[in-house]
């Protein structure tokens, strides 16, 4: 499917998602907004999971790590399997892989690391399993010889996860090799300079250059644009470098982040269903697809923020809801994502979307 022009990317994400959205419960939107404590919003709305306790030799080295993290930020449909295999969720597993790759690299130019083009191309199931600390086989007693002889049994879920990761690394490494790039960060540096950090142009370039960023789907013949990983990656780069005062940052930061839609994954639809803003999928016929649920979460969050801004104006300003005027969709994404990881929400909210085989979220 073709992409809209760079200048229309963000508006097309919203309009395409609205066109396939499930019906929303408007009264539940107001109830949700009024239930959000201001101090909790301030704490959670800026958290998108990026905390890197590392020291980098250069801004480009850190940009490369963030770009690789964004590229591999998927596997949400394997949450239960990953908890069994690693005791971690999807994002924590990917973060662990990328940090391990960085910490075990002999130098920034280490061509055996997945943080390099050559390392992406040479990645295999065994090497990624080692970085992720995933055991690919389990031992059991021999069926006829008993406990004296152990046999290894292949874990199909582990292999499915690892093969998806290896596939994306090989595919991306091949593109970078053809472009003559040493790593993904070098490509990002060049594109940020070429586009002067224009986010629409960056999303367009990411999606047309790397298949794993082209999060575009068809619903009833209509294209639906989501671009979860591209949006997340650009936001992560902006958050890290927007206040950068160091000399040597050789690229502009992505612009227009405050106008981004949410980063549609499996968490947002689940939380919006929990708050009764979206209908329970099992109550609908036919049961909506993962794409429809993700698109509905994009549209719902857009309307939630729009309504929050309206409520902030009630009473002539200066009231206890005036702070709602500062809500953004990116902030709402961070709030819902972080809330889902806390307390009763972590165990009590079932994921409404568990799509396997996808590399987009």
């Amino acid at each position: 499917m073709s992409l809209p022009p760079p200048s229309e990317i963000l508006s097309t994400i919203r309009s395409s998602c609205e066109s396939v959205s499930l019906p929303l419960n408007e009264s539940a939107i107001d109830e949700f907004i009024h239930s959000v404590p201001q101090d909790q919003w301030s704490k959670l709305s800026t958290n998108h999971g990026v905390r890197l306790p590392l020291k980098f030799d250069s801004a480009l080295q850190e940009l490369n790590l963030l770009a690789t993290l964004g590229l591999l930020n998927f596997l949400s449909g394997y949450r239960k399997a990953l908890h069994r295999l690693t005791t971690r969720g999807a994002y924590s597993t990917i973060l662990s892989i990328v940090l391990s790759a960085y910490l075990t690299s002999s130098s920034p130019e280490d061509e055996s690391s997945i943080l390099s083009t050559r390392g992406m191309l040479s990645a295999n199931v065994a090497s990624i399993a080692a970085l992720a600390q995933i055991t690919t086989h389990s031992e059991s007693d021999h069926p006829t010889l008993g406990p004296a002889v152990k046999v290894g049994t292949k874990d199909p879920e582990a292999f499915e996860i690892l093969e998806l990761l290896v596939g994306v690394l090989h595919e991306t490494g091949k593109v970078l090799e053809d472009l003559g790039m040493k790593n993904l960060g070098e490509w990002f540096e060049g594109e940020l300079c070429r586009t002067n950090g224009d986010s629409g142009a960056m999303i367009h370039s990411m999606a047309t250059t790397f298949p794993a960023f082209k999060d575009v789907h068809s619903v009833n013949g209509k294209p639906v644009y989501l671009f979860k990983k591209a949006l997340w990656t650009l936001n992560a780069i902006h958050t890290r470098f927007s206040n950068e005062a160091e000399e040597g940052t050789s690229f502009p930061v992505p612009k227009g982040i405050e106008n981004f839609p949410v980063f549609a994954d499996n968490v947002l639809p689940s939380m919006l269903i929990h708050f009764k803003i979206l209908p329970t999928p099992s109550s609908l016929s036919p049961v909506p697809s993962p794409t429809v649920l993700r698109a509905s979460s994009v549209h719902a969050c857009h309307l939630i923020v729009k309504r929050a801004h309206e409520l902030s104006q009630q009473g002539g300003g200066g009231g206890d809801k005036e702070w709602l005027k500062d809500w953004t969709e990116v902030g709402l994404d961070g709030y819902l994502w972080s809330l889902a990881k806390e307390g009763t929400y972590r165990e009590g909210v079932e994921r409404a979307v568990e799509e396997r085989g996808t590399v987009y979220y």
Side-chain angles (χ1 to χ4, degrees):
M1 279 176 280
S2 61
L3 301 185
S7 61
E8 298 175 15
I9 287 276
L10 298 182
S11 62
T12 304
I13 292 172
R14 291 191 177 92
S15 62
S16 71
C17 288
E18 180 181 5
S19 72
V20 300
S21 177
L22 298 172
L24 307 180
N25 182 345
E26 293 186 10
S27 63
I29 289 177
D30 277 21
E31 290 173 15
F32 166 74
I33 294 170
H34 288 299
S35 74
V36 176
Q38 185 175 358
D39 58 344
Q40 187 185 53
W41 173 272
S42 299
K43 175 185 174 185
L44 300 183
S45 62
T46 57
N47 179 22
H48 288 89
V50 184
R51 297 287 187 271
L52 302 178
L54 302 171
K55 182 173 178 59
F56 295 92
D57 294 333
S58 67
L60 180 56
Q61 189 181 45
E62 188 168 2
L63 175 66
N64 182 45
L65 189 143
L66 286 172
T68 307
L69 178 62
L71 173 76
L72 298 179
N73 189 8
F74 59 97
L75 297 179
S76 63
Y78 299 88
R79 178 172 175 261
K80 292 178 181 177
L82 287 168
H83 275 286
R84 175 178 64 82
L85 292 163
T86 70
T87 72
R88 297 184 296 268
Y91 176 73
S92 295
T93 298
I94 297 304
L95 181 60
S96 176
I97 289 172
V98 175
L99 294 182
S100 295
Y102 177 80
L103 293 170
T104 56
S105 298
S106 59
S107 73
E109 291 76 35
D110 185 353
E111 292 193 352
S112 68
S113 169
I114 62 166
L115 297 174
S116 72
T117 297
R118 295 305 309 164
M120 287 183 174
L121 289 169
S122 63
N124 55 49
V125 165
S127 65
I128 302 304
L131 289 174
Q133 297 181 306
I134 289 177
T135 301
T136 58
H137 291 75
S138 59
E139 285 193 346
S140 58
D141 296 345
H142 192 282
T144 57
L145 299 177
V149 178
K150 300 293 184 181
V151 293
T153 303
K154 180 178 176 179
D155 189 312
E157 287 188 314
F159 272 83
E160 187 175 348
I161 289 165
L162 295 166
E163 286 166 356
L164 281 172
L165 292 168
V166 170
V168 167
L169 289 168
H170 286 180
E171 178 183 72
T172 305
K174 183 63 170 65
V175 173
L176 292 171
E177 182 181 51
D178 290 345
L179 293 171
M181 298 288 174
K182 293 183 294 186
N183 55 52
L184 189 57
E186 184 180 11
W187 182 88
F188 267 83
E189 178 190 37
E191 284 301 290
L192 285 167
C193 292
R194 184 186 69 80
T195 63
N196 195 30
D198 180 84
S199 290
M202 282 299 300
I203 294 168
H204 191 279
S205 187
M206 291 164 73
T208 53
T209 306
F210 302 105
F213 280 121
K214 193 175 182 181
D215 189 3
V216 182
H217 311 270
S218 178
V219 176
N220 297 327
K222 297 179 180 178
V224 178
Y225 302 92
L226 293 163
F227 298 123
K228 183 262 181 180
K229 292 195 307 186
L231 292 164
W232 185 94
T233 304
L234 294 176
N235 181 68
I237 294 169
H238 174 89
T239 300
R240 171 60 187 90
F241 293 108
S242 59
N243 297 318
E244 187 60 68
E246 300 174 10
E247 294 183 5
T249 304
S250 56
F251 50 87
V253 297
K255 298 178 176 66
I257 302 298
E258 67 279 2
N259 298 318
F260 274 13
V262 293
F263 320 141
D265 59 3
N266 67 328
V267 174
L268 297 186
S270 306
M271 293 297 284
L272 293 169
I273 290 166
H274 172 77
F275 287 114
K276 297 181 171 54
I277 294 168
L278 289 180
T280 304
S282 60
S283 69
L284 302 173
S285 181
V287 175
S289 68
T291 295
V292 167
L293 286 168
R294 295 173 68 209
S296 298
S297 72
V298 172
H299 181 52
C301 288
H302 174 65
L303 293 188
I304 290 168
V305 171
K306 182 180 178 182
R307 179 59 177 157
H309 293 170
E310 293 171 353
L311 291 172
S312 74
Q313 300 302 313
Q314 293 183 2
D320 62 353
K321 292 298 180 184
E322 186 179 10
W323 66 280
L324 296 174
K325 73 180 186 300
D326 296 323
W327 277 31
T328 65
E329 288 163 66
V330 171
L332 180 58
D333 181 287
Y335 177 79
L336 289 171
W337 191 88
S338 300
L339 194 66
K341 309 298 178 184
E342 293 196 344
T344 56
Y345 294 105
R346 176 179 287 275
E347 300 301 327
V349 176
E350 278 291 319
R351 292 291 187 268
V353 181
E354 289 193 350
E355 184 179 4
R356 296 198 168 199
T358 181
V359 300
Y360 298 123
Y361 67 101

